[in-house]
Amino acid sequence: MRVVRRTRTGAAAFRAAAAVAAGAWMLTGCAAETGARDGGVAPSLSPPVHASPLWPQYEPPRPLGTGEPLPAYRPYPAVPIEVPVSGLRGMPVKTLLEKDPNVPQLVRAALSNCPGTRCGLRSPVLRDLTGDGSDELVVAFDEPSASLTLVQVYRASGRTVRPVLITWGQLGLTGETFGHDLVITATGHDGRFTTRYRWNGTVMAPGSPQDEPRPPGGRGGTTPVPPSTTNPPAAVPPTRTSR
């Protein structure tokens, strides 16, 4: 009887040891298949970055609202020249600038180089900037001696023509239209500046920074807000010292 008990006890111990060994092998195999490994110490997390205003108590000036009266603009004097039957498309640009009383003497003198290789007059562009279905005439003149570019927009009313925008910018400025808005971009030593001009019924006035671009067709967008002045943009460039 004692011999039989020892044999059963030995067999049971053998089966238990085999089960433990099989379980250990299975755990090892699973660890190898899943690729589990020690990656070391977990990296520390950085706190999120928050904005820190320079002037937390400052309140910017409130722009003119739609319910407030807008400053009135004076129209530019008309050019003593008759618009041809073909409209502004047939208008000789050099003659237009020469007869325009709004054009400064600086440009009048430089027009003597036109036509020619030293002529700073760019090709005229026709675009509808007032939304009335008729094209306005966009004229640009580069004046290297003053490092300036003159941009003028002319509008015809019957046989009469007058400028609705006169603006100066850094020499080599560029322009584009967005809907009926005119966008002028100038790049110089002080950086890049972009101004959007919009027809206000009298002249092309600079829009406020809050104005959204109008989609093609001239519909939508916010109400145009001209600057707080009763005079249109100056037609005389700032005085520069010749080098």
Side-chain angles (χ1 to χ4, degrees):
M1 295 297 291
R2 293 179 180 176
V3 175
V4 174
R5 288 178 182 176
R6 287 179 181 177
T7 302
R8 291 178 178 176
T9 302
F14 176 78
R15 288 194 297 269
V20 171
W25 178 86
M26 291 177 64
L27 291 176
T28 303
C30 292
E33 291 177 1
T34 57
R37 63 181 185 278
D38 186 2
V41 180
S44 58
L45 299 177
S46 301
V49 179
H50 297 282
S52 180
L54 298 179
W55 301 283
Q57 305 301 324
Y58 175 74
E59 294 184 3
R62 185 172 60 90
L64 293 176
T66 56
E68 300 178 15
L70 300 178
Y73 280 88
R74 293 184 295 105
Y76 291 102
V79 182
I81 185 175
E82 194 174 78
V83 178
V85 178
S86 58
L88 293 178
R89 186 179 300 274
M91 178 70 69
V93 177
K94 180 182 178 181
T95 304
L96 179 63
L97 292 176
E98 289 175 336
K99 292 184 176 296
D100 187 353
N102 307 283
V103 174
Q105 183 60 33
L106 175 70
V107 174
R108 294 176 187 273
L111 284 171
S112 61
N113 296 321
C114 300
T117 57
R118 297 178 57 191
C119 178
L121 188 61
R122 302 187 193 179
S123 300
V125 179
L126 292 167
R127 296 288 172 87
D128 180 9
L129 300 176
T130 61
D132 62 354
S134 300
D135 287 337
E136 277 65 50
L137 178 65
V138 183
V139 178
F141 190 89
D142 296 316
E143 181 46 60
S145 64
S147 297
L148 294 170
T149 295
L150 169 68
V151 175
Q152 296 201 179
V153 177
Y154 290 92
R155 183 172 188 257
S157 177
R159 305 301 293 270
T160 304
V161 59
R162 72 175 69 248
V164 293
L165 173 64
I166 300 177
T167 184
W168 292 87
Q170 183 72 29
L171 180 67
L173 60 76
T174 60
E176 59 185 342
T177 55
F178 193 96
H180 296 302
D181 293 348
L182 175 63
V183 181
I184 299 295
T185 302
T187 304
H189 299 293
D190 297 329
R192 181 176 180 176
F193 300 91
T194 299
T195 306
R196 181 186 297 114
Y197 295 93
R198 182 172 297 174
W199 174 246
N200 67 359
T202 304
V203 296
M204 298 287 296
S208 70
Q210 290 78 20
D211 286 347
E212 293 293 334
R214 288 184 291 181
R219 298 293 184 266
T222 59
T223 302
V225 181
S228 56
T229 176
T230 56
N231 297 320
V236 180
T239 304
R240 290 175 177 252
T241 304
S242 58
R243 299 179 179 176

